[in-house]
Amino acid sequence: MKKFINLLIIFFCSISFSQTADTLKTYWLNAFEVTAFRSTIGNKIYPAGKGDLNKLINNNGFTFIRKGVFFAQDIYSDGLKRSDITVLVDGERYHSACPNRMDSPLTRVNPLDLHEIDLTKTSFNIQSGIGGMVNFRRSYPDETVKMVSQVSGTAGAFESVDAAFAISGYSHSVDVRYAEGKTYKNGDGKKFDELYNYETLEPFMLGEISFKGCKKDLRYGLSFSYNEDISFPYLMMDERANRVYSGFAEYKHNKIYFNYTDHMMDNGLRTGSMYMKSIAKNLTIGFIRDNFEVYYRNWDIDNFLKSTSMTINNHMIPDVHQVVASYFDKWETGKIKISAKAGVVYQNVGDRKRLDVFKVLYDKPNENRYFPVGAVSVNFVDVKGKARYGLLWEAQTEAPEIESRLISVNKMMMKADWLGNPNLDQVIKMTVRGLFSYSKISIEPFYHNLWNYANLKGLKIGMKPYQTYENIDAYILGVNLSAKYEHLEITASYNYGENKTNDEPLSEIAPFKVRTVITSPEYYGFSGYVIHTYHSQQTRVSALLNENSTGAWNKIDLGVTKKINRLSLSLDVENLLDLNYYQHLSFLRNPFSSGSKVYEPGRKINFSIRVENLF
């Protein structure tokens, strides 16, 4: 914690600056009010709020999936996850270079820039995936000169420091951030080397710098970020280095952008005699306006495995090129809203020779494929006094993900080779979603029917095992509940998934969850909160995929804040009772899954100081 103390000294020496703070998990934002009336079911927009990013997203069926020590959470919503849900920053698509999503699109969010979050579960948007869309919208500088700085830290089970600084004025801004920390301990006080076969526990690091500007109808910006030694115990490898370069220019809602990711992962921090390494590169160039989108993606991954007796080289993603174009429109008549999208996806394999590896399972793998995509959504909402009710119906089809079609990893000995299925059909989803609310109580039931959903499959050719994908039919039904009364808020969600093709539970379905938040009024600048989270056990698991059931747990968090003019102090304790637990959603992360459940941190203390000064 010496670095944390030094940063605090630097902070107080520069107290004339200001800040928009976050701890490593808690993003401090300004107060927010959610709009009382929602004209589209399954959609909420949160202006940048006093809750942290975790609290804002862990609502209404959305939740985070922990995958690593930091920067790496992924998003889950109503039984759908990963590439089912499009994650955007101001409409910009940031595709993961890592097939295991170590570099989740969520890591692209800079809390200093955050203005509001659009959580959409439906296809009522041109960029919505099968599971909807999460769009992080940035704030833009005005003529006012402002300096913002923050220092945050964590102690207890998780030790880290985080410092950020921003200066803006004359319609331009520059943001800088640096953070580092150690791997955390679980509720039993065990470190990663005791839990997950780590030989070396290197501190992780994040560095970011971004520039934005605007002039009348023109906006533009550039950014660079660098991550180092992010541990991922659910895998057999870790993110050793990740660089992201990005830029955009926008004129009257017509935006062109690019982002390029250079990602390297290996098992150099782990014990074991075999060395594994992957180098992944992803380039995305896009154009987006209100009703039209086109983007190009190039994804390429080289992997090699080396033991004392042999070396295997894998062109894991064989230089795949993807072009997507789509058109969107919407109409409103009275209390009914209708939207429609139509487009096409083209996928091409640059390394045609690599297609031969798929022939052990699939005849005639095609190097070029076209997929028509589209969606139709009908939304009805009415208001009667304090009551609101509505119904949404939609149908949507999307192309299969590149990974599920074209990933390939030959492994040593009798370990299962990992092969995509080049012949996958595109998924079709039909959803019915309802809404009934009265005053501060809301109920939102839903039903997804999925045809040709891509699901993992294990098989053998002779004695050699393989893991691949197959199209299945499935359904997911559930309900989200919420109730508010003055300083009390209760939310609950339940999902039930069934693999109809194989007549078994659908894998990776979150259990029943209840979250209760009690907040205090503000007294002399002080305010506080207590959060209780309950996850029930999940016994409905996929036997075909060797998914394991998980037990129930209860967790308590609490915190207090103090405001003195433009100075804000916060102290939060997460996992107050030092519970040793993990979430159910940490299973099918192949092709290099370690088979380990990822424990959450034990008792963790977050401390943050922020100040904002206007000139």
Side-chain angles (χ1 to χ4, degrees):
M1 297 303 293
K2 289 183 179 179
K3 292 186 177 181
F4 177 56
I5 294 171
N6 291 336
L7 285 172
L8 281 179
I9 295 171
I10 294 171
F11 175 82
F12 282 116
C13 290
S14 62
I15 200 156
S16 61
F17 299 155
S18 71
Q19 72 76 350
T20 299
D22 72 59
T23 66
L24 294 183
K25 187 175 178 182
T26 300
Y27 296 111
W28 257 96
L29 311 167
N30 297 322
F32 73 91
E33 290 292 336
V34 180
T35 303
F37 175 67
R38 286 182 290 150
S39 59
T40 304
I41 299 172
N43 171 246
K44 284 188 178 181
I45 296 177
Y46 293 92
K50 62 185 177 182
D52 64 37
L53 191 61
N54 190 32
K55 296 183 181 71
L56 287 174
I57 291 182
N58 272 311
N59 278 295
N60 196 36
F62 283 93
T63 192
F64 277 131
I65 305 172
R66 176 177 290 280
K67 303 191 302 175
V69 296
F70 188 31
F71 319 127
Q73 291 89 345
D74 219 340
I75 293 179
Y76 177 98
S77 174
D78 288 353
L80 300 170
K81 58 272 183 187
R82 293 195 290 280
S83 57
D84 296 334
I85 304 167
T86 307
V87 181
L88 310 164
V89 180
D90 275 349
E92 300 171 27
R93 294 178 181 263
Y94 282 80
H95 296 102
S96 296
C98 172
N100 295 292
R101 295 172 69 87
M102 289 180 176
D103 58 329
S104 164
L106 188 60
T107 64
R108 315 301 184 214
V109 180
N110 185 335
L112 290 177
D113 287 342
L114 192 59
H115 172 61
E116 63 182 15
I117 306 172
D118 187 349
L119 301 179
T120 301
K121 297 181 179 180
T122 74
S123 62
F124 216 89
N125 186 289
I126 187 172
Q127 295 178 300
S128 291
I130 288 293
M133 176 196 77
V134 177
N135 190 11
F136 295 92
R137 297 195 179 105
R138 292 174 284 209
S139 59
Y140 283 85
D142 55 27
E143 293 295 321
T144 306
V145 177
K146 181 170 62 174
M147 291 185 182
V148 178
S149 62
Q150 68 88 17
V151 175
S152 306
T154 64
F158 191 16
E159 296 182 6
S160 60
V161 294
D162 195 342
F165 173 81
I167 183 169
S168 63
Y170 306 103
S171 300
H172 291 80
S173 67
V174 176
D175 302 340
V176 180
R177 184 184 180 197
Y178 177 83
E180 70 171 54
K182 300 178 181 179
T183 56
Y184 59 81
K185 301 174 185 177
N186 69 358
D188 285 342
K190 293 183 178 180
K191 299 180 181 180
F192 277 29
D193 54 353
E194 300 174 87
L195 294 168
Y196 310 117
N197 298 318
Y198 276 79
E199 185 174 31
T200 304
L201 297 179
E202 292 288 342
F204 60 81
M205 185 274 283
L206 162 72
E208 294 179 356
I209 184 169
S210 64
F211 163 79
K212 294 197 306 295
C214 52
K215 188 174 182 180
K216 293 184 179 180
D217 295 322
L218 178 65
R219 293 179 173 180
Y220 42 88
L222 294 168
S223 68
F224 170 73
S225 68
Y226 177 74
N227 297 348
E228 186 176 279
D229 291 334
I230 313 296
S231 297
F232 287 86
Y234 75 94
L235 296 171
M236 292 185 287
M237 291 195 286
D238 304 293
E239 180 180 87
R240 304 305 306 278
N242 191 74
R243 299 173 180 85
V244 181
Y245 309 81
S246 67
F248 71 92
E250 180 180 1
Y251 182 73
K252 291 186 176 180
H253 301 288
N254 296 280
K255 171 182 273 191
I256 186 168
Y257 66 90
F258 81 93
N259 52 75
Y260 175 76
T261 302
D262 185 355
H263 172 87
M264 193 276 281
M265 54 183 170
D266 71 11
N267 66 339
L269 303 178
R270 313 291 185 99
T271 60
S273 58
M274 183 176 69
Y275 180 65
M276 299 181 287
K277 181 178 180 179
S278 295
I279 298 173
K281 301 179 186 297
N282 185 89
L283 171 67
T284 301
I285 302 173
F287 172 80
I288 178 69
R289 58 175 300 159
D290 293 339
N291 62 344
F292 178 74
E293 179 186 32
V294 59
Y295 70 87
Y296 163 79
R297 179 188 184 190
N298 176 229
W299 192 15
D300 190 62
I301 305 178
D302 286 308
N303 163 264
F304 75 90
L305 314 173
K306 184 177 182 180
S307 69
T308 55
S309 59
M310 65 185 302
T311 298
I312 298 177
N313 291 294
N314 292 300
H315 202 172
M316 187 158 59
I317 295 292
D319 190 25
V320 178
H321 303 264
Q322 176 172 278
V323 179
V324 180
S326 55
Y327 177 81
F328 175 85
D329 211 343
K330 56 186 176 183
W331 305 266
E332 191 167 347
T333 171
K335 299 169 184 177
I336 298 176
K337 288 185 175 182
I338 302 172
S339 74
K341 179 176 75 171
V344 63
V345 175
Y346 169 69
Q347 294 177 355
N348 168 264
V349 178
D351 182 1
R352 300 177 185 179
K353 294 181 179 179
R354 186 62 180 174
L355 290 173
D356 291 341
V357 75
F358 297 97
K359 292 180 180 179
V360 66
L361 299 182
Y362 305 103
D363 294 332
K364 300 179 181 179
N366 197 332
E367 67 189 66
N368 302 301
R369 288 194 68 180
Y370 291 88
F371 300 94
V373 297
V376 177
S377 181
V378 181
N379 176 86
F380 167 81
V381 175
D382 197 7
V383 179
K384 298 292 185 183
K386 293 183 178 181
R388 299 190 301 276
Y389 59 92
L391 186 68
L392 178 139
W393 174 89
E394 63 184 12
Q396 184 175 5
T397 182
E398 295 289 342
E401 272 297 299
I402 293 173
E403 174 189 336
S404 58
R405 285 196 60 234
L406 296 168
I407 194 170
S408 60
V409 182
N410 297 117
K411 296 185 180 180
M412 295 183 179
M413 308 298 287
M414 295 306 294
K415 293 183 178 180
D417 286 356
W418 187 265
L419 293 178
N421 181 350
N423 302 326
L424 281 177
D425 294 322
Q426 62 193 86
V427 62
I428 301 171
K429 186 198 73 168
M430 187 275 292
T431 293
V432 177
R433 190 180 295 273
L435 169 68
F436 177 78
S437 66
Y438 183 81
S439 187
K440 299 293 185 178
I441 300 174
S442 177
I443 302 174
E444 186 180 285
F446 67 89
Y447 174 81
H448 302 311
N449 203 93
L450 298 154
W451 294 271
N452 297 332
Y453 192 56
N455 198 54
L456 289 165
K457 177 183 180 180
L459 51 81
K460 280 188 175 183
I461 303 295
M463 295 298 293
K464 179 66 176 177
Y466 292 88
Q467 286 185 314
T468 184
Y469 293 87
E470 65 175 345
N471 287 123
I472 64 166
D473 295 339
Y475 69 82
I476 304 170
L477 58 87
V479 63
N480 299 301
L481 309 171
S482 67
K484 291 183 178 181
Y485 180 76
E486 293 185 349
H487 300 289
L488 173 67
E489 180 178 2
I490 300 173
T491 57
S493 60
Y494 175 72
N495 300 324
Y496 182 98
E498 184 73 10
N499 179 338
K500 295 192 291 185
T501 298
N502 297 312
D503 194 26
E504 70 155 24
L506 190 63
S507 63
E508 292 187 281
I509 296 296
F512 175 63
K513 172 184 176 182
V514 181
R515 188 167 176 269
T516 304
V517 181
I518 301 173
T519 57
S520 73
E522 186 173 311
Y523 293 103
Y524 300 103
F526 284 95
S527 59
Y529 71 84
V530 177
I531 300 176
H532 173 257
T533 305
Y534 168 73
H535 278 239
S536 70
Q537 62 181 352
Q538 178 58 285
T539 57
R540 300 195 77 255
V541 294
S542 169
L544 288 174
L545 299 177
N546 299 316
E547 190 178 25
N548 298 317
S549 60
T550 50
W553 49 267
N554 292 271
K555 182 171 73 78
I556 297 175
D557 307 326
L558 56 82
V560 63
T561 66
K562 169 66 175 177
K563 296 183 179 180
I564 308 171
N565 297 323
R566 295 190 179 100
L567 176 67
S568 295
L569 308 174
S570 71
L571 180 66
D572 307 277
V573 181
E574 295 185 44
N575 193 6
L576 177 66
L577 303 180
D578 212 14
L579 176 71
N580 192 32
Y581 72 105
Y582 50 78
Q583 297 195 53
H584 181 71
L585 299 172
S586 57
F587 176 59
L588 299 175
R589 299 294 194 269
N590 279 298
F592 297 105
S593 174
S594 66
S596 298
K597 295 291 186 181
V598 182
Y599 287 94
E600 297 287 324
R603 185 185 301 111
K604 180 164 75 82
I605 301 170
N606 306 319
F607 182 70
S608 179
I609 305 174
R610 65 173 183 174
V611 103
E612 183 170 335
N613 193 20
L614 303 176
F615 296 90

